[in-house]
């Protein structure tokens, strides 16, 4: 049996979790900074890193307490070191280094995107390779061919905005609130067939890229030309196009490679309409693996979870490991 502490501070959530054997979540504590950033409609790096610093020790104590473990019970400590806001990443990584040194336990530095794609394997499912990984969050939209632990080939990524970022920017433009994804999803559900039909994004076959700046401009132009347009129909049409591109790309990648499992993770994976669309597209033995909504957004259980896979394979990091803004 191995007990791991996971720490996460790459963006605007500070989180600490204790996980057993990379599978069983004993505690998963998250402190969201949404209220601190709401007035700015986005994450302010200086505010984020200061808030991480103020909260991380409290969260570590809570995570240990809730799991019934103490520092001396830990077998390893894992922290996200890439990608993210550099000043924010430093807080979890430095905390993990101190715990590793003082307790004499291995340190594992984790790729945040790989951690997201590990989230569904904390819910009783065995991780089986290969699979297509679709990571959709506020900062990233990336499609991977995942062959093993740390073995992920990028198939496609966004040429401009991330999908979650497009939700956030359209919500800001329409004055709907922050973060944009959940409010747009809710409003779109009330559209009752009055959708606005926006052009398909990047329709050519064989293209593996994502792009969201065109649809954003299309929405803005539509509002300028139709100032009284029904907001629900508008965001419904926007959401359909944004999600449809994710579904098309994920299935095209899986089918062209003969892979039947698609793992979808990141904040946008919490979207119920995306889940419906993915299920609707499934054929034969194809399976869609998505974490429950609470494990889609940033958390530290996924960090401790993927950290266990590295720990188990003896793939540790030294205290010289650094943070990286990009992967
Ligand atoms: O993974 P995450 O917590 O980390 C960041 O990248 O910050 O994702 C947050 C993003 C935000 O852009 C938010 O608008 C989006 O995920 N999001 C959603 C939904 N819930 C969160 N997007 C669409 N539908 C949702 N239900």
């Amino acid at each position: 049996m191995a007990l791991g502490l996971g720490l996460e501070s790459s963006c605007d959530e500070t989180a600490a979790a204790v996980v057993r054997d990379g599978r069983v979540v004993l505690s998963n504590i998250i402190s969201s900074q949404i209220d601190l950033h709401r007035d700015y409609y986005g994450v302010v790096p200086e505010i984020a890193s200061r808030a991480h610093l103020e909260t991380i020790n409290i969260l570590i104590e809570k995570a240990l307490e809730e799991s019934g473990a103490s520092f001396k019970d830990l077998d390893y400590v894992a922290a996200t070191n890439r990608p993210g806001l550099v000043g924010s990443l430093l807080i979890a990584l430095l905390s993990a280094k101190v715990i590793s040194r003082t307790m004499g336990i291995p340190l594992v530095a984790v790729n945040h995107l790989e951690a997201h794609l590990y989230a569904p394997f904390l819910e009783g499912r065995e991780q089986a390779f290969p699979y297509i990984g679709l990571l959709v969050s506020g900062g990233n939209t990336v499609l991977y061919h995942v062959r093993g632990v740390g073995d992920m080939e990028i198939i496609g990524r966004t040429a401009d905005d991330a999908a979650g970022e497009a939700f956030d920017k359209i919500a800001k433009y329409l004055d709907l609130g922050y973060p944009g994804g959940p409010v747009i999803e809710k409003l779109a559900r009330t559209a009752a067939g009055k959708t606005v039909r926006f052009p398909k994004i990047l329709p050519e076959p064989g293209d593996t890229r994502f792009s969201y700046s065109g649809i954003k401009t299309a929405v803005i132009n539509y509002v300028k030309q139709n100032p009284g347009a029904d907001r629900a129909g508008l965001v419904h049409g926007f959401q359909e196009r944004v999600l449809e591109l994710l579904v098309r790309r994920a299935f095209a990648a899986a089918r062209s490679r003969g892979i039947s499992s698609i793992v979808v993770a990141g904040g946008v994976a919490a979207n119920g309409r995306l889940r419906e669309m993915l299920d609707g597209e499934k054929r034969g033995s194809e399976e869609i693996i998505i974490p429950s909504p609470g494990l889609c957004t940033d958390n530290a259980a996924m960090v401790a979870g993927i950290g266990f896979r590295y720990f188990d394979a003896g793939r540790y990091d030294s205290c010289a490991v650094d943070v990286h803004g990009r992967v």
Side-chain angles (χ1 to χ4, degrees):
M1 191 200 69
L3 268 195
L5 173 69
L7 303 178
E8 160 66 42
S9 66
S10 63
C11 190
D12 59 341
E13 263 100 24
T14 327
V18 177
V19 170
R20 193 173 67 220
D21 297 331
R23 274 192 206 94
V24 184
V25 181
L26 300 180
S27 62
N28 188 18
I29 314 288
I30 302 169
S31 165
S32 168
Q33 301 177 2
I34 283 180
D35 290 342
L36 298 179
H37 302 290
R38 183 167 278 121
D39 287 351
Y40 308 95
Y41 285 92
V43 179
V44 183
E46 290 78 6
I47 295 177
S49 44
R50 180 159 296 277
H52 289 307
L53 185 60
E54 284 165 0
T55 21
I56 195 138
N57 284 340
I58 302 166
L59 295 201
I60 293 171
E61 273 179 29
K62 265 198 186 169
L64 285 171
E65 192 185 310
E66 205 170 280
S67 72
S70 67
F71 280 113
K72 62 179 177 14
D73 299 319
L74 296 174
D75 295 291
Y76 70 95
V77 56
T80 303
N81 79 324
R82 65 196 189 282
L85 302 169
V86 168
S88 289
L89 286 163
L90 276 171
I91 310 300
L93 186 66
L94 286 174
S95 307
K97 285 182 182 181
V98 172
I99 294 168
S100 163
R101 271 291 174 97
T102 46
M103 302 314 296
I105 55 174
L107 167 72
V108 181
V110 164
N111 173 345
H112 181 75
L113 308 183
E114 188 177 17
H116 265 300
L117 292 174
Y118 189 81
F121 306 114
L122 293 165
E123 299 184 296
R125 185 187 277 274
E126 275 302 312
Q127 193 182 26
F129 301 107
Y131 53 82
I132 296 298
L134 174 63
L135 192 279
V136 257
S137 68
N140 299 279
T141 298
V142 200
L143 191 63
Y144 291 102
H145 180 166
V146 185
R147 296 191 180 87
V149 175
D151 186 359
M152 313 203 308
E153 178 202 338
I154 295 180
I155 298 169
R157 63 192 332 161
T158 182
D160 38 61
D161 289 350
E165 189 180 357
F167 274 98
D168 295 337
K169 286 181 175 170
I170 288 301
K172 178 182 179 193
Y173 180 71
L174 298 175
D175 215 7
L176 298 174
Y178 174 83
V183 282
I184 287 182
E185 180 182 4
K186 205 167 153 207
L187 183 57
R189 287 204 185 279
T190 67
K194 287 182 294 178
T195 193
V196 177
R197 295 188 69 81
F198 290 109
K200 258 193 170 186
I201 308 170
L202 294 172
E204 65 272 32
D207 194 340
T208 58
R209 289 169 306 161
F210 298 86
S211 171
Y212 290 110
S213 66
I215 180 89
K216 211 175 58 193
T217 309
V219 173
I220 293 169
N221 287 343
Y222 187 90
V223 174
K224 282 186 182 150
Q225 284 155 15
N226 306 274
D230 170 62
R231 291 296 198 250
L234 191 66
V235 297
H236 182 272
F238 161 78
Q239 175 176 264
E240 288 297 295
R241 287 300 186 224
V242 169
L243 301 181
E244 178 218 56
L245 181 65
L246 300 174
V247 176
R248 268 197 281 137
R249 291 288 187 261
F251 279 97
R255 287 169 189 164
S256 67
R257 288 167 177 76
I259 294 174
S260 58
S261 300
I262 301 174
V263 174
V264 187
V268 182
N271 187 292
R273 177 66 186 136
L274 175 62
R275 289 164 185 247
E276 264 168 44
M277 289 167 100
L278 288 163
D279 274 341
E281 181 61 32
K282 241 174 16 184
R283 301 199 288 246
S285 62
E286 288 173 341
E287 59 167 354
I288 302 293
I289 303 169
I290 311 191
S292 49
L295 283 174
C296 283
T297 43
D298 288 352
N299 65 84
M302 66 187 194
V303 175
I306 188 68
F308 171 78
R309 299 292 152 196
Y310 283 86
F311 164 75
D312 201 37
R315 292 161 72 178
Y316 312 150
D317 288 281
S318 82
C319 275
V321 68
D322 209 347
V323 295
H324 301 279
R326 292 173 166 269
V327 221

